[in-house]
Amino acid sequence: MTPTEMRAARLHDTGKPLKIERLPVPTIRPTEVLVKVEACGLVQNLQNVIAEWDEVAPELPLPKLPAIFGLDATGVIESVGSQVYGFKPGDRVYVNPGRYCGSCRACQAGEPVSCDSFVLNGYFGLGKNGAQMFEDYPYGGLCEYMPAPQYSLVRLPDAVDFETATRLGYLGTAYRGLIRANAGPGKTLLINGITGTLGLGAVAVALALGVKKILGTARNKDFFQKVQDMGPEGRIEILESGSEPVKEWSQRVTDGQGVDIVLDALAPGAPAEPLVEGFKSLNRGGRLVDIGAVQGDVPLDLFWALSNDITIIGSSWFTTQQSQAMVDMAGAGLLDLGFYEHKVYPLEQVNKAVDDTSSRHGGFTNYVIKM
């Protein structure tokens, strides 16, 4: 029997710790399910959101305080609404936090991430009209029970445990970026920030997609060999950032074949230079995809891009269908997610876990809250 109360972590004031409180278990609408949360991932940027709530992204919609945060929740369906089809109590699921209106032209075209009301439930909004969406979906994953619309549910195969599935946010962001770049066999990929959380997910996905050669730039040489060990010998090459011009290096290690795709996965506050260097390294017809957080003006030679048929793409988040494709690849043994090192905390230690995310072991460490 479902209890009437649950524990939840809520932010009441900017710069203050999250508070563990007891709240009523939420009710669900006809097209929703109630998920008993087993695990929820922690993104490092949550530190910035909690500490600088009003300054993080003042132009973007934000949930009203007090707010329950938490992306990438996984768990078991507790109950289903009267108009839910295809899901039943007991199903293991990942809840894609993307929320959208479903009726605008972007949604009807199958591009919900482009919806003007698009928000990341339990985080912040990306669409200009997202404020109402936060009113309608106030429960992030840092609570014991959360409602979820049936369009957000991803079935988890037995081969993917709850802790690993909490990394689907980073993996999915990389996956959609690579899909939009037409990554696959015969392509050479350069990943800026290859040892970080987004970059490492991109390595795993690129290997699963059959990318021929994976190049990367990063600062911390301590992780280079560990990243290279994720693929067959010689398939992954990494350059220490700033040690050599990227174009010359990429030409040398590919025997002159060059780079077809650049995926920029650098963290917030990163300089623009690596992105620009990657851009200049692209082959004719190449694609530059930004999935990271390089901010401000970036000097790109657009005439050169035009002349060389270069495509520049900004890609944020991913669809539920793309989430399902990834876990199906993992279930089939095509996508190897065994490199993650889970660091698990109970809900009562959520503030310690948020603080600890800054001391992660590159992108290998996965910080997880277990309910």
Side-chain angles (χ1 to χ4, degrees):
M1 182 175 177
T2 306
T4 59
E5 287 190 336
M6 67 174 183
R7 294 172 301 143
R10 290 205 295 178
L11 179 68
H12 285 257
D13 299 294
T14 302
K16 299 294 180 63
L18 298 168
K19 292 183 179 180
I20 306 299
E21 301 174 326
R22 296 202 68 84
L23 301 174
V25 170
T27 57
I28 56 173
R29 289 170 282 227
T31 57
E32 295 178 343
V33 306
L34 185 67
V35 176
K36 185 179 187 298
V37 179
E38 294 289 336
C40 184
L42 288 181
V43 296
Q44 187 187 10
N45 194 46
L46 188 56
Q47 285 184 328
N48 299 323
V49 171
I50 292 173
E52 304 171 306
W53 180 245
D54 298 324
E55 303 173 19
V56 170
E59 75 282 2
L60 297 178
L62 302 170
K64 293 179 181 178
L65 300 181
I68 300 175
F69 287 94
L71 289 171
D72 299 321
T74 64
V76 177
I77 294 179
E78 178 79 5
S79 60
V80 301
S82 60
Q83 295 175 12
V84 170
Y85 306 96
F87 290 95
K88 64 184 184 304
D91 286 348
R92 301 172 67 251
V93 294
Y94 162 74
V95 181
N96 188 317
R99 302 287 178 268
Y100 48 88
C101 76
S103 59
C104 68
R105 290 184 182 275
C107 288
Q108 290 179 343
E111 295 291 344
V113 180
S114 297
C115 174
D116 278 341
S117 297
F118 188 84
V119 304
L120 295 175
N121 187 210
Y123 203 31
F124 54 71
L126 295 172
K128 63 182 180 181
N129 299 327
Q132 181 59 46
M133 203 63 68
F134 281 122
E135 295 285 333
D136 294 336
Y137 298 99
Y139 295 90
L142 293 176
C143 57
E144 291 182 290
Y145 293 89
M146 68 177 295
Q150 60 184 330
Y151 70 63
S152 71
L153 300 175
V154 177
R155 296 172 176 85
L156 294 179
D158 292 338
V160 180
D161 58 54
F162 291 122
E163 291 83 1
T164 300
T166 66
R167 252 328 180 231
L168 285 175
Y170 284 105
L171 285 162
T173 299
Y175 178 76
R176 181 169 180 254
L178 290 171
I179 292 298
R180 296 180 75 184
N182 291 333
K187 296 294 180 69
T188 296
L189 165 70
L190 170 67
I191 303 170
N192 283 332
I194 194 170
T195 62
T197 312
L198 271 175
L200 205 60
V203 172
V205 171
L207 289 169
L209 291 174
V211 170
K212 176 180 67 175
K213 186 82 171 180
I214 301 172
L215 310 181
T217 66
R219 291 176 298 177
N220 194 333
K221 295 180 67 175
D222 294 343
F223 299 127
F224 285 12
Q225 189 59 55
K226 194 169 184 178
V227 175
Q228 290 172 311
D229 288 344
M230 291 173 63
E233 185 175 354
R235 192 167 174 189
I236 302 172
E237 301 278 357
I238 306 176
L239 173 70
E240 183 180 6
S241 297
S243 64
E244 184 179 346
V246 174
K247 183 172 184 177
E248 286 79 354
W249 172 76
S250 63
Q251 289 286 325
R252 176 166 55 80
V253 297
T254 61
D255 295 325
Q257 295 183 37
V259 175
D260 302 304
I261 301 166
V262 171
L263 191 77
D264 196 89
L266 292 172
E273 286 79 9
L275 188 152
V276 175
E277 282 204 46
F279 170 77
K280 293 178 179 177
S281 304
L282 282 167
N283 291 333
R284 183 172 176 78
R287 298 195 173 197
L288 168 67
V289 185
D290 180 22
I291 63 170
V294 172
Q295 296 173 309
D297 295 333
V298 178
L300 299 179
D301 185 344
L302 294 184
F303 180 74
W304 180 84
L306 178 151
S307 301
N308 286 278
D309 202 29
I310 301 295
T311 302
I312 302 171
I313 302 170
S315 187
S316 60
W317 213 248
F318 54 100
T319 67
T320 300
Q321 292 79 7
Q322 289 162 341
S323 315
Q324 191 66 63
M326 283 190 301
V327 297
D328 289 346
M329 289 165 65
L334 299 173
L335 175 59
D336 184 0
L337 302 178
F339 59 89
Y340 283 125
E341 302 165 358
H342 305 304
K343 195 164 185 180
V344 180
Y345 301 75
L347 183 62
E348 285 73 17
Q349 293 183 16
V350 63
N351 291 299
K352 182 180 188 309
V354 171
D355 290 342
D356 286 353
T357 57
S358 59
S359 59
R360 68 196 189 285
H361 186 63
F364 292 97
T365 309
N366 180 26
Y367 289 86
V368 181
I369 299 297
K370 287 278 284 185
M371 301 303 161

